[in-house]
Amino acid sequence: MTTQFWQNIKSLFPQFVNIASPMTTTISADQVNQIIYNLHHDPFEILGCHLLEEGKDTKKWVVRAYLPKAEAAWVIRPTEQKEDPMNSVHHPNFFECIIETPELNHYQLKVKEGEYEKVIYDPYAFSSPYLTDEDIYLFSEGNHHRIYEKLGAHVGEINGVKGVYFAVWAPNARNVSVIGDFNNWDGREHQMRKRNYTIWELFVPNIDPGTVYKYEIKNSEGHIYEKSDPYGFYREVRPNTASIVVDIDNIYQWHDEEWLEKRRNSDPLKQPVSVYEVHLGSWLHGSAAEKMPLLNGGEADPVIVSEWNPGARFLSYYELAEKLIPYVKDMGYTHIELLPIAEHPFDGSWGYQVTGFYSPTSRFGRPEDFMYFVDKCHENGIGVILDWVPGHFPKDSHGLAYFDGTHLYEHADPRIGEHKEWGTLVFNYGRHEVRNFLVANVLFWFDKYHIDGIRVDAVASMLYRNYLRKEGEWIANEYGGDEHIEAVSFIREFNTVLFEYFPGVLSIAEESTEWEKVSRPIYDGGLGFNLKWDMGWMHDMLDYFNIDPFFRQYHQNNVTFSMLYYYNENFMLALSHDEVVHGKSNMLGKMPGDEWQKYANVRALFTYMYTHPGKKTMFMSMEFGQWSEWNVWGDLEWHLLQYEPHQQLKQFFTDLNALYKQEPALYTHDFEYHGFYWIDCNDNSHSVVSFVRQSDDPEDALVVVCNFTPQPHSHYRIGVPEAGYYIELFNSDAKQYGGSNMGNLGGKWADQWSFHNKPYSLDLCLPPLAVLILKLDPTKVPEVTLTEALDSDEEE
């Protein structure tokens, strides 16, 4: 800044800048004014304690402080029990004091503001050891996998003084300050310094966890933005948007070491995975008049009501642990998948427009409460999967958009940097620091919250530059194609790093295109996920079951087509929230026929789903037969469980989950050819398919027969590979599930009658709109069948 510049400032604001005052120290008028107008990139060069002269027996120090609201100030030397008055010779609020003493390591400032006096530590007396040059170097490379332990707000101690260290990446900002209740949101008081031209930092002494704060960021033109902390661990409840200091490493004592060790040494692809997908804000509400229970006592959190249902409040993480976990455990699911719980401003976004990527939403409580929720899941044998949204972020002014006055996290060109249909922005995956932000974010949830998997939303939107964009609204990559090369690289990177740090976890892609090898390893040219949602199977089956059963004979391919491509990926079969919203109806409403047939169709669909190769996901409310589509503002229709059909359907799912976990053939070889083969998939005239599921042990093999019409079939014969008695393990038409109770009296002996290219066969009764699961009983010796008896008579 030139002297002429400051003369111009003086002419405009003569009451503030005393340029003509005699200088008693080595700083210039320009330097003083840079502090006063928050223009200095490193306030430590001016403020704080500086050595002026060094004599034989003593040293001369100068202490400078800019205190915008102070009338007077003193330097307190506690060890020497002295107070030295400070002078304001440059500006009424710019104070300094020269002190002669051998050492001046520990001092405080006494500040008089009107009638009040306070004693504070000078933030510019603390040189922070938190962020090293190596940290900055790794971050600039995109390789600092735990950057969340450096950037953001961290509780700590320097020279015996407790406080909070703040650091934020804003390379294009002219100035950055940390603001909050502790300084009355005045950006002049805690101006940060810039390290290595990229990161701004400051240790603020004597503030504690629970402190509310933001960053005040000025761009090159002096425009001011107040931003939440991108790496903040906690946020205020919407509509407020400030970040809150949390000592994340010391707020909760975990008890899941045994769970984590077991997970580390297991292969989830060989395990049963039955996922209950939940939106925490609409699974169940409490009354706004009720008090919210506390996890650890202390001051109660405010009651958080639904935006569109003021009479209902959200359950806390603690309450959800007490209500949701026992429910899921009793139902027999292996995992809970949570729609995004990272902080988001609008309830109606379902969590998919994230502004706080490192903050579990405060709607349901504090970070330690969510830790408790995950811990209790593990205690009850339930894994936790989070919906993770790295594909886009909203434009909210307090968020990542235009963060430092430039397009920092997003692309500047809207043809690649914006999803117009969603009204959101696209991350600049080619920028090292942005990629680091996201890679570290996925690790963060596993590291600090012990989650067991992620389901990555809208992967297709990241893979293609022309996703949901019209011609002329997108730009090709450097090779002229529509692939988003930088995003592909990012996906491969986060999956590689994730499995290096956390073996045994799940990384699931919601990917709806024909992109190859989504769930294949990086070394094989894949994207590195270990599971992919089978969107094709979902669409085929919902289309099929929507058809009048008479016409299903012309659509047998819907049932069988999935096995033609099945081994190209590791698939998860998912019937998710997307299938029960936007006028699509819930599952019962999708089914044709009278009420009995609707229930029967639902049971047949889900039994086929559970016996088909692949892991399973289903959305809340499907398990008890909610008629209405999902309403994010209300509760599930729990009152339906007073009626027998809904009770029976819930029991059906409980038993189906139990069978699924009990039978290794249903999960151990989901993704290998020898885990499945058709017995007969060509009987379209009856809309019947039959197949075998296998595990390593031949005795575990299951025979599955599906009748997808309301017409029962007696004496329906299917081929089986071995002689013996086949137990009817499961019948979706059983009386206890609301079915007609047709079946095979508990099981059938195989006949020595070759059928379907098998040496033996079963003569079965196929119930209407039902699926049978049968298993050979090795304890029963085969009886002499009719065919064997006839052969014996002929020999005699």
Side-chain angles (χ1 to χ4, degrees):
M1 300 293 177
T2 65
T3 301
Q4 182 60 46
F5 172 82
W6 293 116
Q7 294 292 346
N8 293 337
I9 292 293
K10 179 187 176 184
S11 66
L12 293 173
F13 307 103
Q15 68 275 29
F16 291 123
V17 184
N18 187 7
I19 293 179
S21 299
M23 302 299 291
T24 59
T25 66
T26 56
I27 61 171
S28 69
D30 283 359
Q31 291 174 303
V32 173
N33 284 284
Q34 287 182 55
I35 296 298
I36 292 169
Y37 287 96
N38 202 347
L39 297 170
H40 205 293
H41 73 283
D42 187 0
F44 284 83
E45 291 184 358
I46 310 298
L47 303 177
C49 180
H50 298 268
L51 179 64
L52 290 179
E53 296 179 8
E54 186 170 5
K56 182 178 180 181
D57 300 318
T58 187
K59 298 176 183 176
K60 183 181 289 187
W61 308 84
V62 62
V63 177
R64 305 189 193 98
Y66 177 47
L67 306 167
K69 294 183 285 291
E71 298 175 2
W74 297 261
V75 175
I76 299 177
R77 291 181 271 167
T79 57
E80 302 172 47
Q81 296 184 345
K82 290 185 178 181
E83 286 189 11
D84 301 286
M86 303 184 78
N87 301 313
S88 54
V89 296
H90 308 292
H91 180 276
N93 304 114
F94 190 98
F95 298 89
E96 67 179 22
C97 176
I98 296 177
I99 301 172
E100 290 192 23
T101 183
E103 296 296 335
L104 188 57
N105 295 325
H106 303 285
Y107 69 90
Q108 294 171 288
L109 301 176
K110 185 169 77 171
V111 181
K112 184 176 186 300
E113 297 178 353
E115 298 178 358
Y116 301 97
E117 288 187 356
K118 61 182 179 180
V119 176
I120 63 172
Y121 283 98
D122 183 1
Y124 301 101
F126 297 90
S127 180
S128 170
Y130 284 86
L131 190 69
T132 67
D133 289 340
E134 183 181 9
D135 290 325
I136 297 174
Y137 176 76
L138 289 173
F139 179 59
S140 67
E141 277 193 331
N143 292 322
H144 200 311
H145 297 152
R146 286 193 165 92
I147 191 61
Y148 50 84
E149 294 181 345
K150 298 291 184 173
L151 297 186
H154 299 276
V155 178
E157 184 176 307
I158 298 177
N159 298 331
V161 178
K162 294 181 178 180
V164 176
Y165 171 77
F166 296 92
V168 61
W169 177 58
N172 304 305
R174 189 179 75 184
N175 295 92
V176 180
S177 299
V178 59
I179 55 176
D181 291 337
F182 56 90
N183 61 16
N184 295 310
W185 303 90
D186 189 338
R188 299 172 296 172
E189 292 203 14
H190 291 91
Q191 302 174 37
M192 306 175 79
R193 74 171 167 190
K194 198 174 190 179
R195 288 277 304 279
N196 294 54
Y197 307 103
T198 60
I199 292 173
W200 300 82
E201 66 172 0
L202 185 68
F203 179 80
V204 179
N206 271 14
I207 61 172
D208 304 308
T211 297
V212 177
Y213 71 99
K214 280 188 176 182
Y215 296 113
E216 180 186 277
I217 298 176
K218 288 184 181 178
N219 70 2
S220 58
E221 298 176 349
H223 298 157
I224 295 176
Y225 307 88
E226 291 188 1
K227 294 288 188 176
S228 304
D229 190 345
Y231 290 86
F233 298 142
Y234 189 33
R235 292 275 177 92
E236 290 183 296
V237 177
R238 52 94 181 107
N240 296 329
T241 57
S243 301
I244 302 174
V245 174
V246 171
D247 188 4
I248 197 167
D249 292 318
N250 297 296
I251 55 176
Y252 185 77
Q253 181 63 50
W254 289 90
H255 307 91
D256 62 349
E257 295 83 0
E258 184 177 344
W259 170 277
L260 296 179
E261 181 62 25
K262 181 180 178 181
R263 187 187 73 187
R264 189 178 299 113
N265 295 290
S266 68
D267 180 0
L269 300 186
K270 299 285 187 181
Q271 304 298 320
V273 177
S274 171
V275 180
Y276 186 70
E277 187 189 28
V278 181
H279 177 258
L280 293 181
S282 57
W283 184 75
L284 181 67
H285 288 90
S287 169
E290 296 173 343
K291 293 183 178 179
M292 183 180 292
L294 294 174
L295 174 57
N296 295 316
E299 184 181 351
D301 287 326
V303 172
I304 313 303
V305 298
S306 171
E307 288 181 328
W308 293 90
N309 189 1
R313 67 167 176 84
F314 292 124
L315 299 183
S316 67
Y317 292 118
Y318 177 79
E319 290 174 298
L320 287 161
E322 299 306 303
K323 296 178 184 294
L324 175 60
I325 293 173
Y327 179 84
V328 172
K329 183 178 182 179
D330 289 345
M331 290 292 298
Y333 294 98
T334 65
H335 292 73
I336 294 174
E337 178 185 324
L338 304 178
L339 268 66
I341 58 106
E343 195 59 83
H344 50 281
F346 177 47
D347 293 357
S349 76
W350 311 342
Y352 288 98
Q353 295 204 3
V354 178
T355 52
F357 281 80
Y358 286 82
S359 305
T361 178
S362 53
R363 287 170 176 81
F364 314 123
R366 305 169 185 176
E368 59 265 37
D369 299 336
F370 182 58
M371 292 176 178
Y372 173 82
F373 176 86
V374 176
D375 206 9
K376 293 297 287 185
C377 282
H378 292 170
E379 180 184 316
N380 287 275
I382 298 170
V384 178
I385 299 170
L386 293 190
D387 238 334
W388 188 52
V389 191
H392 62 125
F393 60 93
K395 300 176 181 179
D396 297 72
S397 61
H398 67 279
L400 299 178
Y402 213 63
F403 186 78
D404 64 354
T406 67
H407 298 283
L408 188 64
Y409 284 88
E410 70 274 20
H411 289 276
D413 191 330
R415 293 175 297 173
I416 190 174
E418 184 175 356
H419 282 304
K420 290 188 176 181
E421 185 165 313
W422 299 341
T424 57
L425 301 174
V426 180
F427 283 103
N428 184 350
Y429 304 106
R431 189 162 196 166
H432 297 320
E433 297 90 344
V434 173
R435 194 174 67 251
N436 202 147
F437 171 81
L438 291 170
V439 171
N441 183 240
V442 73
L443 296 177
F444 166 80
W445 291 101
F446 287 89
D447 179 18
K448 302 301 183 183
Y449 289 97
H450 294 200
I451 68 166
D452 303 286
I454 52 170
R455 176 263 193 188
V456 184
D457 179 63
V459 172
S461 73
M462 293 187 278
L463 294 177
Y464 297 96
R465 289 183 170 222
N466 60 350
Y467 184 83
L468 295 182
R469 292 184 176 93
K470 299 176 182 177
E471 196 65 35
E473 294 182 354
W474 64 281
I475 52 176
N477 62 34
E478 58 192 287
Y479 303 106
D482 60 358
E483 302 88 356
H484 198 323
I485 296 171
E486 296 85 359
V488 172
S489 175
F490 156 69
I491 291 170
R492 288 172 171 160
E493 180 180 354
F494 83 68
N495 276 319
T496 299
V497 173
L498 173 60
F499 291 117
E500 286 178 357
Y501 280 94
F502 300 101
V505 301
L506 291 168
S507 181
I508 308 162
E510 185 219 6
E511 205 285 314
S512 55
T513 72
E514 295 181 357
W515 190 282
E516 294 184 351
K517 299 185 176 181
V518 171
S519 57
R520 292 291 181 262
I522 311 299
Y523 61 77
D524 190 32
L527 294 182
F529 295 96
N530 56 3
L531 285 171
K532 172 185 173 176
W533 274 15
D534 192 344
M535 309 295 281
W537 178 90
M538 179 270 294
H539 286 296
D540 285 345
M541 294 311 299
L542 291 183
D543 289 347
Y544 181 81
F545 273 88
N546 188 248
I547 298 170
D548 185 298
F550 176 81
F551 297 103
R552 288 177 181 173
Q553 60 185 307
Y554 306 113
H555 299 273
Q556 186 89 341
N557 185 58
N558 284 48
V559 178
T560 62
F561 181 66
S562 60
M563 294 311 301
L564 292 179
Y565 63 79
Y566 185 78
Y567 299 104
N568 295 338
E569 300 280 359
N570 299 331
F571 281 117
M572 171 171 274
L573 310 183
L575 293 170
S576 73
H577 63 279
D578 281 329
E579 313 318 317
V580 293
V581 289
H582 304 316
K584 296 179 183 178
S585 182
N586 215 307
M587 300 305 294
L588 282 172
K590 297 177 188 292
M591 303 300 165
D594 59 24
E595 184 172 318
W596 186 94
Q597 291 184 356
K598 289 179 183 293
Y599 278 97
N601 270 303
V602 166
R603 295 193 301 269
L605 167 60
F606 278 98
T607 311
Y608 180 58
M609 173 182 176
Y610 270 69
T611 54
H612 189 288
K615 308 309 180 185
K616 328 296 179 188
T617 292
M618 59 178 289
F619 188 56
M620 65 182 194
S621 78
M622 293 179 183
E623 76 277 10
F624 63 83
Q626 180 165 309
W627 287 97
S628 300
E629 68 180 26
W630 172 44
N631 174 16
V632 69
W633 308 115
D635 292 348
L636 301 187
E637 295 180 346
W638 296 108
H639 65 278
L640 293 175
L641 283 171
Q642 66 184 300
Y643 303 112
E644 188 177 32
H646 299 278
Q647 296 172 5
Q648 292 171 328
L649 188 60
K650 182 172 177 286
Q651 185 61 49
F652 160 80
F653 277 105
T654 301
D655 293 350
L656 188 59
N657 273 314
L659 179 73
Y660 172 63
K661 293 187 291 186
Q662 168 191 311
E663 296 298 329
L666 293 178
Y667 59 80
T668 52
H669 293 304
D670 273 325
F671 313 112
E672 300 163 32
Y673 284 99
H674 59 276
F676 170 95
Y677 66 83
W678 291 111
I679 295 173
D680 180 23
C681 61
N682 297 312
D683 188 6
N684 62 295
S685 61
H686 294 100
S687 297
V688 173
V689 295
S690 53
F691 54 91
V692 172
R693 294 297 311 276
Q694 299 181 115
S695 72
D696 293 321
D697 187 344
E699 292 187 356
D700 289 335
L702 301 177
V703 174
V704 182
V705 188
C706 310
N707 175 20
F708 293 131
T709 72
Q711 175 64 48
H713 302 295
S714 59
H715 302 294
Y716 190 94
R717 187 167 293 276
I718 65 164
V720 291
E722 295 185 52
Y725 183 78
Y726 285 77
I727 305 168
E728 190 175 85
L729 283 183
F730 192 84
N731 180 351
S732 70
D733 188 54
K735 181 179 180 180
Q736 64 264 34
Y737 308 141
S740 64
N741 210 36
M742 296 183 68
N744 297 277
L745 302 176
K748 276 294 186 79
W749 286 98
D751 297 322
Q752 191 174 345
W753 183 338
S754 178
F755 208 75
H756 291 140
N757 295 318
K758 300 291 185 293
Y760 305 95
S761 59
L762 293 173
D763 179 2
L764 298 173
C765 171
L766 302 189
L769 293 170
V771 177
L772 302 176
I773 304 174
L774 303 110
K775 184 178 184 180
L776 184 65
D777 185 348
T779 66
K780 291 189 177 182
V781 179
E783 296 177 346
V784 176
T785 64
L786 173 63
T787 305
E788 291 172 327
L790 292 173
D791 291 344
S792 176
D793 290 341
E794 289 176 1
E795 290 175 1
E796 292 177 359

